[in-house]
Amino acid sequence: MGKLFDIDVEAVHEALHQGRPVRERGPYGVLVGDEGLDFRPVVIADPVPSGRQVLYAAGVREVVEHILFFMEQNGMLQEVGLDQTVDLRAAGAERFLVFRSDRSFRLELDERVLEWGAARISGMTLKKLAGVDLFTHTARQEKRGDKDLEIDDTELVDLTGAGVERFYTKLREITVKVNTRPHTVNTKTLTFEEVVKLYDVNAALSETRIYTVTYKRGPVENPQGTLVEGGRVHVQNGMLFNVTFTDKS
């Protein structure tokens, strides 16, 4: 993360990441995010601001129509009332979330119970809250008595129904075959270089060592074709790759 605040502002996240105490005097720089966990820098003068002060500093004027959460370092969320205070000098007091809502919704994620300020939540946001690798993991919704559902990054799940929605994250596992040999990969795309490495872990690209990669049974984005050097394709279970090698030395 680059420099977000002026030199006279105590960036709380920098102090925490550097392992040093947050200074006693302000102003203080904190991060305020939205329901997509997109954060922006906000400066607060008071070391122990109220929820109302944090909302005002974030540019929110209709404070009674918003909910504020303090986001702990482990991803847990604590609602902060308008007149409730938070000590910015305390360990972990670096991030807040603001929602335009009059109530919160309870959900369970990776066996942790969380309060959320919006009626819907996306797969990408669930992964961010869980603190997992965004590219190699998937978010899933538990369906008792039925098959659990994988939630796409941009898919939104409704939290307004009866009961608590339960979610979990897991390492993505996609099985592809390279020259008939099965390989399990954890990302939704593969590059030319990654496919060649699956074919031969010691493969070294050069002007004299030429590799050709073709594929079929791919997803709708790229059902079949030739993968060129520097290129990337989407993958799915059962996708077939064929790699051939030519030595022109």
Side-chain angles (χ1 to χ4, degrees), residues 6 9 12 19 25 33 48 106 113 155 159 172 195-196 218 220:
D6 293 337
V9 176
V12 177
R25 296 182 299 104
V48 190
R106 181 166 295 177
V113 176
E155 183 180 353
L159 303 176
R172 177 183 288 109
V195 175
V196 171
V220 64

Side-chain angles (χ1 to χ4, degrees), residues 45 65 104 117 149 188 200 223 240 245:
E65 296 183 7
S104 61
L149 298 177
K188 296 173 71 174
D200 179 2
L240 305 178
F245 164 68

Side-chain angles (χ1 to χ4, degrees), residues 25 34 42 47 63 79 83 88 94 102 117 122 128 143 150 162 180 192 198 232:
R25 296 182 299 104
D34 57 20
V42 170
V63 294
E79 187 172 348
D83 298 316
L88 300 180
E94 61 173 88
D102 61 353
S122 71
K128 288 181 179 179
K143 291 290 187 181
E150 181 174 343
T180 73
F192 173 88
L198 291 176
R232 179 186 297 270

